[in-house]
Coordinates of all heavy atoms in Angstrom, one line a residue:
I1 N 0.8 -1.2 0.0 CA 0.0 0.1 0.0 C 0.8 1.2 0.0 O 0.5 2.3 -0.6 CB -1.0 0.0 1.2 CG1 -1.8 -1.2 1.2 CG2 -1.7 1.2 1.3 CD1 -3.2 -1.2 1.3
G2 N 2.0 1.2 0.7 CA 2.9 2.4 0.7 C 3.3 2.9 -0.6 O 3.2 4.1 -0.9
P3 N 4.0 2.0 -1.5 CA 4.5 2.5 -2.7 C 3.4 3.0 -3.7 O 3.5 4.0 -4.4 CB 5.1 1.2 -3.4 CG 5.4 0.5 -2.2 CD 4.4 0.7 -1.1
I4 N 2.2 2.4 -3.5 CA 1.0 2.8 -4.3 C 0.6 4.3 -4.0 O 0.4 5.2 -4.7 CB -0.1 1.8 -4.3 CG1 0.3 0.6 -5.0 CG2 -1.4 2.4 -5.0 CD1 -0.6 -0.6 -4.8
T5 N 0.5 4.4 -2.6 CA 0.1 5.7 -2.1 C 1.0 6.8 -2.4 O 0.7 8.0 -2.9 CB -0.1 5.7 -0.5 OG1 -1.1 4.7 -0.2 CG2 -0.6 7.0 0.0
E6 N 2.3 6.4 -2.2 CA 3.4 7.4 -2.6 C 3.4 7.8 -4.0 O 3.5 9.0 -4.4 CB 4.9 6.8 -2.2 CG 5.0 6.8 -0.8 CD 6.2 5.9 -0.3 OE1 6.9 5.4 -1.2 OE2 6.6 5.8 0.8
E7 N 3.2 6.8 -5.0 CA 3.2 7.1 -6.3 C 1.9 8.0 -6.7 O 2.1 9.0 -7.5 CB 3.2 5.8 -7.2 CG 4.5 5.1 -7.1 CD 5.7 6.0 -7.4 OE1 5.6 6.8 -8.5 OE2 6.8 5.9 -6.7
L8 N 0.8 7.7 -6.2 CA -0.3 8.5 -6.4 C -0.2 10.0 -6.0 O -0.6 10.8 -6.7 CB -1.7 7.9 -5.8 CG -2.1 6.6 -6.3 CD1 -3.3 5.9 -5.5 CD2 -2.6 6.8 -7.7
Y9 N 0.5 10.1 -4.8 CA 0.6 11.4 -4.5 C 1.8 12.1 -5.1 O 1.6 13.2 -5.7 CB 0.9 11.6 -2.9 CG 1.3 12.9 -2.4 CD1 0.2 13.9 -2.4 CD2 2.5 13.3 -2.0 CE1 0.5 15.2 -2.0 CE2 2.8 14.6 -1.7 CZ 1.7 15.6 -1.8 OH 2.1 16.9 -1.3
F10 N 3.0 11.6 -5.1 CA 4.2 12.3 -5.7 C 4.2 12.3 -7.2 O 4.5 13.4 -7.7 CB 5.4 11.6 -5.1 CG 5.8 11.9 -3.8 CD1 5.4 11.1 -2.7 CD2 6.5 13.2 -3.5 CE1 5.8 11.5 -1.4 CE2 6.9 13.4 -2.1 CZ 6.5 12.7 -1.1
R11 N 3.7 11.3 -7.8 CA 3.7 11.3 -9.2 C 2.5 11.6 -9.9 O 2.4 12.3 -10.9 CB 4.3 10.0 -9.9 CG 5.7 9.9 -10.2 CD 6.7 10.3 -9.2 NE 7.2 9.3 -8.4 CZ 7.9 9.4 -7.2 NH1 8.4 10.6 -7.0 NH2 8.3 8.5 -6.5
G12 N 1.4 11.2 -9.3 CA 0.1 11.4 -9.8 C -0.5 12.7 -9.5 O -1.2 13.4 -10.3
F13 N -0.3 13.3 -8.2 CA -0.8 14.6 -7.8 C 0.2 15.8 -7.9 O -0.1 16.7 -8.4 CB -1.5 14.5 -6.4 CG -1.8 15.8 -5.8 CD1 -3.1 16.2 -6.2 CD2 -1.1 16.5 -4.9 CE1 -3.6 17.5 -5.7 CE2 -1.5 17.7 -4.3 CZ -2.7 18.3 -4.7
L14 N 1.4 15.4 -7.2 CA 2.3 16.6 -7.0 C 3.1 16.9 -8.3 O 3.3 18.1 -8.7 CB 3.3 16.2 -5.8 CG 4.2 17.2 -5.4 CD1 3.5 18.5 -4.8 CD2 5.1 16.7 -4.4
L15 N 3.6 15.9 -9.1 CA 4.5 16.1 -10.2 C 3.8 17.0 -11.2 O 4.3 18.0 -11.6 CB 4.8 14.8 -10.8 CG 5.7 14.9 -12.1 CD1 7.1 15.5 -11.8 CD2 5.9 13.4 -12.7
P16 N 2.6 16.8 -11.6 CA 1.9 17.8 -12.6 C 1.8 19.2 -12.0 O 1.6 20.2 -12.8 CB 0.5 17.2 -12.9 CG 0.5 15.8 -12.4 CD 1.7 15.7 -11.3
R17 N 1.8 19.4 -10.8 CA 1.6 20.7 -10.3 C 2.9 21.5 -9.9 O 2.8 22.7 -9.7 CB 0.8 20.7 -9.0 CG -0.7 20.2 -9.2 CD -1.4 19.7 -8.0 NE -2.7 19.5 -8.3 CZ -3.2 18.4 -8.9 NH1 -2.4 17.5 -9.5 NH2 -4.5 18.2 -9.2
L18 N 4.1 20.8 -10.0 CA 5.4 21.5 -9.7 C 5.7 22.5 -10.8 O 6.1 23.5 -10.5 CB 6.4 20.4 -9.5 CG 6.2 19.7 -8.2 CD1 7.2 18.6 -8.2 CD2 6.5 20.6 -7.0
S19 N 5.5 22.1 -12.1 CA 6.0 23.0 -13.1 C 5.4 22.3 -14.4 O 5.2 21.2 -14.5 CB 7.5 23.0 -13.3 OG 7.9 23.8 -14.4
S20 N 5.3 23.2 -15.4 CA 4.7 22.6 -16.7 C 5.9 22.2 -17.6 O 5.9 21.7 -18.5 CB 4.0 23.7 -17.5 OG 4.9 24.9 -17.8
R21 N 7.3 22.4 -17.0 CA 8.4 22.0 -17.7 C 9.0 20.8 -16.9 O 9.5 20.9 -15.8 CB 9.5 23.1 -17.7 CG 8.9 24.4 -18.5 CD 10.0 25.4 -18.7 NE 10.2 26.1 -17.4 CZ 11.2 27.0 -17.2 NH1 11.9 27.4 -18.3 NH2 11.4 27.5 -16.1
P22 N 9.0 19.7 -17.6 CA 9.5 18.4 -17.0 C 11.0 18.6 -16.5 O 11.3 17.9 -15.5 CB 9.5 17.4 -18.1 CG 8.4 17.9 -19.0 CD 8.4 19.3 -18.8
A23 N 11.8 19.4 -17.2 CA 13.2 19.5 -16.7 C 13.3 20.2 -15.4 O 14.3 19.9 -14.6 CB 13.9 20.4 -17.8
L24 N 12.3 20.9 -14.8 CA 12.3 21.5 -13.5 C 11.4 20.6 -12.7 O 11.8 20.3 -11.5 CB 11.6 22.8 -13.5 CG 12.5 23.9 -14.3 CD1 11.6 25.2 -14.3 CD2 13.8 24.1 -13.7
A25 N 10.4 20.1 -13.0 CA 9.4 19.2 -12.3 C 10.0 17.9 -11.8 O 9.8 17.5 -10.6 CB 8.0 19.0 -12.9
V26 N 10.7 17.2 -12.7 CA 11.2 15.9 -12.4 C 12.3 15.9 -11.3 O 12.1 15.2 -10.2 CB 11.7 15.2 -13.7 CG1 12.6 14.0 -13.3 CG2 10.6 14.9 -14.6
P27 N 13.3 16.7 -11.3 CA 14.3 16.8 -10.2 C 13.6 17.2 -8.9 O 13.9 16.9 -7.9 CB 15.4 17.7 -10.6 CG 15.0 18.1 -12.0 CD 13.6 17.7 -12.4
A28 N 12.8 18.3 -9.0 CA 12.1 18.8 -7.9 C 11.3 17.7 -7.2 O 11.3 17.6 -5.9 CB 11.3 20.1 -8.1
N29 N 10.5 17.0 -8.0 CA 9.7 15.9 -7.5 C 10.7 14.8 -6.7 O 10.3 14.3 -5.7 CB 8.8 15.3 -8.6 CG 8.1 14.3 -8.1 OD1 8.3 13.0 -8.2 ND2 6.8 14.6 -7.7
A30 N 11.7 14.5 -7.4 CA 12.6 13.5 -6.9 C 13.3 13.9 -5.6 O 13.4 13.1 -4.6 CB 13.7 13.2 -8.0
I31 N 13.7 15.1 -5.6 CA 14.3 15.7 -4.1 C 13.3 15.7 -3.2 O 13.5 15.1 -2.1 CB 14.8 17.1 -4.4 CG1 16.1 17.0 -5.3 CG2 15.1 17.8 -3.1 CD1 16.6 18.3 -5.8
L32 N 12.0 16.2 -3.4 CA 11.0 16.0 -2.4 C 10.7 14.6 -2.0 O 10.5 14.4 -0.7 CB 9.7 16.7 -2.9 CG 9.7 18.3 -3.0 CD1 8.5 18.7 -3.8 CD2 9.9 18.9 -1.7
F33 N 10.6 13.7 -2.9 CA 10.4 12.4 -2.5 C 11.4 11.8 -1.7 O 11.1 11.2 -0.6 CB 10.2 11.6 -3.8 CG 10.1 10.0 -3.6 CD1 8.7 9.6 -3.2 CD2 11.0 9.1 -3.7 CE1 8.6 8.2 -2.9 CE2 10.8 7.8 -3.5 CZ 9.6 7.4 -3.1
A34 N 12.8 12.0 -2.0 CA 13.9 11.5 -1.2 C 13.8 12.1 0.2 O 14.1 11.4 1.2 CB 15.1 11.8 -1.9
L35 N 13.5 13.4 0.3 CA 13.5 14.1 1.5 C 12.4 13.5 2.5 O 12.7 13.3 3.7 CB 13.4 15.6 1.4 CG 14.7 16.2 0.9 CD1 14.3 17.8 0.6 CD2 15.8 16.1 1.8
V36 N 11.2 13.3 1.9 CA 10.0 13.0 2.6 C 10.1 11.5 3.0 O 9.6 11.2 4.1 CB 8.8 13.4 1.9 CG1 7.6 12.8 2.7 CG2 8.6 14.9 1.9
T37 N 10.4 10.6 2.1 CA 10.2 9.2 2.3 C 11.5 8.4 2.9 O 11.3 7.3 3.2 CB 9.8 8.6 1.0 OG1 10.9 8.6 0.0 CG2 8.5 9.1 0.6
D38 N 12.5 9.0 2.9 CA 13.9 8.3 3.2 C 14.5 8.9 4.5 O 14.9 10.0 4.6 CB 14.8 8.2 2.1 CG 15.8 7.2 2.3 OD1 15.5 6.0 2.8 OD2 17.1 7.5 2.1
G39 N 14.6 8.0 5.5 CA 15.1 8.5 6.8 C 16.6 8.2 6.8 O 17.3 9.0 7.8
Q40 N 17.2 7.6 6.0 CA 18.6 7.3 6.2 C 19.4 8.1 5.1 O 19.2 8.0 3.9 CB 18.9 5.8 5.7 CG 18.2 4.8 6.7 CD 16.9 4.4 6.0 OE1 16.6 4.6 4.9 NE2 16.1 3.7 6.9
P41 N 20.3 9.0 5.7 CA 21.0 10.1 4.8 C 21.9 9.4 3.8 O 22.1 9.7 2.8 CB 21.8 10.9 5.7 CG 21.2 10.6 7.1 CD 20.5 9.3 7.1
Y42 N 22.5 8.1 4.1 CA 23.3 7.5 3.2 C 22.6 6.9 2.1 O 23.3 6.5 1.0 CB 24.1 6.3 4.0 CG 23.3 5.3 4.7 CD1 22.8 4.2 4.1 CD2 22.9 5.5 5.9 CE1 22.0 3.3 4.6 CE2 22.1 4.6 6.6 CZ 21.8 3.4 6.0 OH 20.8 2.5 6.5
T43 N 21.3 6.7 2.0 CA 20.6 6.3 0.8 C 19.9 7.4 0.1 O 19.2 7.1 -1.0 CB 19.5 5.1 1.2 OG1 18.6 5.7 2.1 CG2 20.2 4.0 1.8
W44 N 20.1 8.6 0.4 CA 19.4 9.8 -0.1 C 19.6 9.8 -1.6 O 18.6 9.9 -2.3 CB 19.8 11.1 0.6 CG 18.9 12.2 0.2 CD1 17.7 12.5 0.6 CD2 19.1 13.2 -0.8 NE1 17.1 13.6 0.1 CE2 18.0 14.0 -0.8 CE3 20.3 13.4 -1.7 CZ2 18.0 15.1 -1.7 CZ3 20.2 14.5 -2.4 CH2 19.1 15.4 -2.5
L45 N 20.9 9.7 -2.0 CA 21.2 9.9 -3.5 C 20.6 8.8 -4.3 O 20.0 9.0 -5.3 CB 22.6 10.0 -3.7 CG 23.2 11.3 -3.5 CD1 24.8 11.3 -3.6 CD2 22.6 12.4 -4.3
T46 N 20.5 7.7 -3.8 CA 20.0 6.4 -4.5 C 18.5 6.5 -4.7 O 18.0 6.4 -5.8 CB 20.4 5.1 -3.8 OG1 21.8 5.0 -3.6 CG2 19.8 3.9 -4.5
V47 N 18.0 6.9 -3.6 CA 16.4 7.1 -3.6 C 16.1 8.3 -4.6 O 15.1 8.1 -5.4 CB 15.8 7.4 -2.2 CG1 14.3 7.8 -2.3 CG2 16.0 6.3 -1.4
R48 N 16.9 9.4 -4.6 CA 16.6 10.4 -5.5 C 16.7 10.1 -6.9 O 15.8 10.4 -7.8 CB 17.6 11.6 -5.2 CG 17.0 12.9 -5.9 CD 18.0 14.0 -5.8 NE 18.7 14.2 -7.1 CZ 19.8 14.4 -7.2 NH1 20.6 14.7 -6.1 NH2 20.4 14.6 -8.4
Y49 N 17.8 9.2 -7.3 CA 17.8 8.8 -8.7 C 16.8 7.8 -9.1 O 16.3 7.8 -10.2 CB 19.3 8.1 -9.0 CG 20.3 9.2 -9.0 CD1 21.5 9.2 -8.1 CD2 20.2 10.3 -9.9 CE1 22.3 10.2 -8.0 CE2 21.2 11.3 -9.9 CZ 22.3 11.2 -9.0 OH 23.3 12.2 -8.9
F50 N 16.3 7.0 -8.2 CA 15.2 6.1 -8.4 C 13.9 6.9 -8.6 O 13.2 6.6 -9.4 CB 15.0 5.1 -7.2 CG 13.9 4.2 -7.3 CD1 13.8 3.3 -8.4 CD2 13.0 4.2 -6.3 CE1 12.8 2.4 -8.5 CE2 11.9 3.3 -6.5 CZ 11.8 2.5 -7.5
A51 N 13.8 8.0 -7.8 CA 12.6 8.8 -8.0 C 12.6 9.5 -9.3 O 11.6 9.9 -9.9 CB 12.5 9.8 -6.8
V52 N 13.7 9.9 -9.8 CA 13.9 10.6 -11.1 C 13.2 9.7 -12.2 O 12.5 10.0 -13.1 CB 15.3 11.0 -11.5 CG1 15.4 11.3 -12.9 CG2 15.6 12.3 -10.6
A53 N 13.8 8.3 -12.1 CA 13.3 7.4 -13.1 C 11.8 7.1 -13.0 O 11.0 7.2 -14.1 CB 14.0 6.1 -12.9
L54 N 11.2 7.1 -11.7 CA 9.8 7.0 -11.6 C 9.0 8.2 -12.1 O 7.9 8.1 -12.7 CB 9.5 6.7 -10.1 CG 10.0 5.4 -9.6 CD1 9.7 5.3 -8.1 CD2 9.3 4.3 -10.3
A55 N 9.6 9.4 -11.9 CA 8.9 10.5 -12.4 C 8.8 10.6 -13.9 O 7.9 11.0 -14.4 CB 9.6 11.8 -11.8
V56 N 10.0 10.3 -14.5 CA 10.0 10.2 -16.0 C 9.0 9.2 -16.5 O 8.2 9.5 -17.5 CB 11.5 9.9 -16.5 CG1 11.5 9.7 -18.0 CG2 12.3 11.1 -16.1
V57 N 8.8 8.1 -15.9 CA 7.9 7.1 -16.3 C 6.5 7.7 -16.2 O 5.6 7.4 -17.0 CB 8.1 5.7 -15.6 CG1 6.9 4.8 -15.8 CG2 9.4 5.1 -16.0
A58 N 6.3 8.3 -15.0 CA 4.9 8.9 -14.7 C 4.5 9.9 -15.6 O 3.2 10.2 -15.7 CB 4.9 9.4 -13.2
L59 N 5.3 10.5 -16.3 CA 4.9 11.6 -17.3 C 4.3 11.0 -18.5 O 3.5 11.7 -19.3 CB 6.2 12.3 -17.7 CG 6.7 13.3 -16.6 CD1 7.9 14.0 -17.1 CD2 5.7 14.4 -16.2
R60 N 4.4 9.7 -18.7 CA 3.9 9.1 -19.9 C 2.4 8.7 -19.6 O 2.1 8.6 -18.5 CB 4.7 7.8 -20.3 CG 6.1 8.1 -20.7 CD 6.8 6.8 -21.1 NE 8.0 7.2 -21.9 CZ 8.0 7.5 -23.1 NH1 6.9 7.6 -23.8 NH2 9.1 7.8 -23.7
P61 N 1.6 8.5 -20.6 CA 0.2 8.0 -20.4 C 0.2 6.7 -19.6 O 1.0 5.7 -19.9 CB -0.4 7.6 -21.8 CG 0.5 8.5 -22.8 CD 1.9 8.6 -22.1
R62 N -0.6 6.5 -18.6 CA -0.7 5.5 -17.6 C 0.5 5.2 -16.9 O 0.9 4.2 -16.3 CB -1.2 4.2 -18.3 CG -2.6 4.3 -18.7 CD -3.1 3.0 -19.3 NE -2.7 2.7 -20.7 CZ -3.1 3.3 -21.7 NH1 -4.0 4.1 -21.8 NH2 -2.5 2.9 -22.9
G63 N 1.5 6.3 -16.9 CA 2.8 6.1 -16.3 C 2.7 5.9 -14.8 O 3.6 5.2 -14.2
V64 N 1.8 6.5 -14.1 CA 1.6 6.4 -12.7 C 1.3 5.0 -12.2 O 1.9 4.4 -11.2 CB 0.6 7.2 -12.1 CG1 0.4 7.1 -10.6 CG2 1.0 8.8 -12.4
V65 N 0.6 4.3 -13.1 CA 0.4 2.9 -12.8 C 1.6 2.0 -13.0 O 2.0 1.2 -12.0 CB -0.7 2.3 -13.7 CG1 -0.8 0.8 -13.5 CG2 -2.0 3.0 -13.6
V66 N 2.5 2.3 -14.0 CA 3.7 1.6 -14.1 C 4.7 2.0 -13.0 O 5.3 1.1 -12.5 CB 4.2 2.0 -15.5 CG1 5.6 1.3 -15.7 CG2 3.3 1.5 -16.7
A67 N 4.8 3.3 -12.7 CA 5.6 3.7 -11.6 C 5.3 2.9 -10.3 O 6.1 2.5 -9.5 CB 5.5 5.2 -11.5
A68 N 4.0 2.8 -10.0 CA 3.5 2.3 -8.8 C 3.8 0.7 -8.8 O 4.4 0.2 -7.8 CB 2.1 2.4 -8.6
A69 N 3.8 0.1 -10.0 CA 4.2 -1.4 -10.0 C 5.6 -1.5 -9.9 O 6.1 -2.4 -9.1 CB 3.7 -1.9 -11.5
V70 N 6.4 -0.7 -10.5 CA 7.9 -0.8 -10.4 C 8.2 -0.5 -8.9 O 9.1 -1.3 -8.3 CB 8.7 0.2 -11.2 CG1 10.0 0.3 -11.0 CG2 8.4 -0.3 -12.7
H71 N 7.7 0.6 -8.3 CA 8.1 0.9 -6.9 C 7.8 -0.3 -6.0 O 8.5 -0.7 -5.1 CB 7.4 2.2 -6.5 CG 7.7 2.8 -5.3 ND1 7.4 4.1 -5.0 CD2 8.2 2.2 -4.1 CE1 7.8 4.5 -3.7 NE2 8.3 3.3 -3.2
S72 N 6.5 -0.9 -6.3 CA 6.2 -1.9 -5.3 C 7.1 -3.1 -5.5 O 7.4 -3.9 -4.6 CB 4.6 -2.4 -5.7 OG 3.7 -1.2 -5.4
T73 N 7.4 -3.5 -6.8 CA 8.3 -4.6 -7.0 C 9.8 -4.3 -6.4 O 10.3 -5.2 -5.8 CB 8.5 -4.7 -8.6 OG1 7.2 -5.0 -9.1 CG2 9.4 -6.0 -8.9
V74 N 10.3 -3.2 -6.5 CA 11.5 -2.8 -5.9 C 11.5 -3.0 -4.3 O 12.3 -3.6 -3.7 CB 12.1 -1.5 -6.4 CG1 13.3 -1.0 -5.4 CG2 12.5 -1.4 -7.7
N75 N 10.5 -2.5 -3.8 CA 10.3 -2.7 -2.4 C 10.2 -4.2 -2.0 O 10.7 -4.6 -0.9 CB 9.1 -1.9 -1.8 CG 9.4 -0.4 -1.7 OD1 10.3 0.1 -2.2 ND2 8.4 0.3 -1.0
L76 N 9.4 -4.9 -2.7 CA 9.2 -6.3 -2.4 C 10.6 -7.1 -2.6 O 10.9 -7.9 -1.7 CB 8.2 -6.9 -3.4 CG 8.1 -8.5 -3.3 CD1 7.6 -8.9 -1.8 CD2 7.0 -9.0 -4.4
I77 N 11.4 -6.8 -3.6 CA 12.7 -7.5 -3.6 C 13.6 -7.1 -2.6 O 14.2 -7.9 -1.9 CB 13.4 -7.0 -5.0 CG1 12.6 -7.6 -6.3 CG2 14.9 -7.3 -5.0 CD1 13.1 -7.0 -7.5
G78 N 13.6 -5.8 -2.1 CA 14.2 -5.3 -0.8 C 13.8 -6.2 0.4 O 14.8 -6.7 1.2
L79 N 12.5 -6.3 0.5 CA 12.0 -7.1 1.6 C 12.5 -8.6 1.6 O 12.9 -9.1 2.6 CB 10.5 -7.1 1.7 CG 9.8 -7.8 2.7 CD1 10.1 -7.4 4.2 CD2 8.4 -7.8 2.5
L80 N 12.4 -9.1 0.4 CA 12.8 -10.5 0.2 C 14.3 -10.8 0.5 O 14.6 -11.8 1.1 CB 12.4 -11.1 -1.2 CG 10.9 -11.3 -1.4 CD1 10.7 -11.6 -2.9 CD2 10.3 -12.1 -0.5
V81 N 15.0 -9.8 0.1 CA 16.6 -9.9 0.4 C 16.7 -9.7 1.8 O 17.6 -10.6 2.5 CB 17.3 -8.8 -0.3 CG1 18.8 -8.6 0.1 CG2 17.3 -9.1 -1.9
M82 N 16.1 -8.9 2.5 CA 16.3 -8.7 4.0 C 16.0 -10.0 4.7 O 16.5 -10.4 5.6 CB 15.5 -7.5 4.5 CG 16.2 -6.2 4.2 SD 15.5 -4.6 4.9 CE 13.8 -4.9 4.8
L83 N 14.7 -10.5 4.2 CA 14.2 -11.7 4.9 C 15.2 -12.9 4.6 O 15.4 -13.8 5.7 CB 12.8 -12.1 4.4 CG 11.7 -11.2 4.9 CD1 10.5 -11.7 4.2 CD2 11.5 -11.3 6.5
S84 N 15.6 -13.1 3.5 CA 16.6 -14.2 3.2 C 18.0 -14.0 4.0 O 18.4 -15.0 4.5 CB 16.9 -14.2 1.8 OG 17.7 -13.1 1.3
V85 N 18.4 -12.8 4.2 CA 19.6 -12.6 5.1 C 19.2 -13.0 6.6 O 20.0 -13.6 7.2 CB 20.2 -11.2 5.0 CG1 21.0 -10.8 6.1 CG2 20.7 -10.9 3.6
E86 N 18.1 -12.6 7.2 CA 17.8 -12.9 8.5 C 17.5 -14.3 8.6 O 17.9 -14.9 9.6 CB 16.4 -12.2 8.8 CG 16.6 -10.7 9.3 CD 17.5 -10.8 10.6 OE1 17.2 -11.6 11.6 OE2 18.4 -10.0 10.5
L87 N 16.9 -15.0 7.6 CA 16.6 -16.4 7.8 C 18.0 -17.3 7.7 O 18.0 -18.4 8.1 CB 15.5 -16.9 6.8 CG 14.1 -16.4 7.1 CD1 13.2 -16.7 5.8 CD2 13.6 -16.8 8.3
G88 N 18.9 -16.7 7.0 CA 20.1 -17.4 6.7 C 21.1 -17.4 8.0 O 22.0 -18.0 8.0
R89 N 20.8 -16.6 9.0 CA 21.6 -16.5 10.1 C 21.4 -17.7 11.2 O 20.6 -18.3 11.3 CB 21.3 -15.2 10.9 CG 21.6 -14.1 10.3 CD 21.4 -12.8 11.1 NE 21.8 -11.6 10.5 CZ 21.9 -10.4 10.9 NH1 21.5 -10.3 12.2 NH2 22.3 -9.4 10.3

């Protein structure tokens, strides 16, 4: 639910309202996303670059749906990796 809600807000609602010029809106959206959703400073740049890719995808028709699916998949992979490490101990 988290990635879907984040994509609906950041890419579906906020991105179109930041600027009519994607060259300004995409980086601004990515920076806001990284600042709001990530508590670890050491992952801030990685999250920002991921958010740029999601914002570019979201600019396309039905892109928010694709961005939400990708975001959910990446989060699921991260969860599975963490669980496998924990279970392997």
Side-chain angles (χ1 to χ4, degrees):
I1 302 232
I4 295 168
T5 305
E6 290 171 353
E7 291 307 316
L8 288 174
Y9 176 71
F10 282 98
R11 262 55 86 183
F13 176 78
L14 189 60
L15 180 62
R17 288 164 178 76
L18 286 174
S19 173
S20 60
R21 295 187 293 179
L24 297 175
V26 167
N29 184 267
I31 290 168
L32 289 171
F33 179 77
L35 289 173
V36 171
T37 62
D38 193 43
Q40 300 92 13
Y42 55 88
T43 61
W44 188 81
L45 281 176
T46 305
V47 171
R48 194 184 102 214
Y49 288 122
F50 179 59
V52 165
L54 292 174
V56 169
V57 168
L59 292 174
R60 299 184 162 278
R62 290 185 288 282
V64 174
V65 173
V66 174
V70 169
H71 190 159
S72 296
T73 303
V74 167
N75 282 14
L76 177 62
I77 291 168
L79 175 65
L80 294 174
V81 167
M82 287 189 315
L83 286 174
S84 70
V85 168
E86 271 305 305
L87 294 173
R89 289 183 181 192

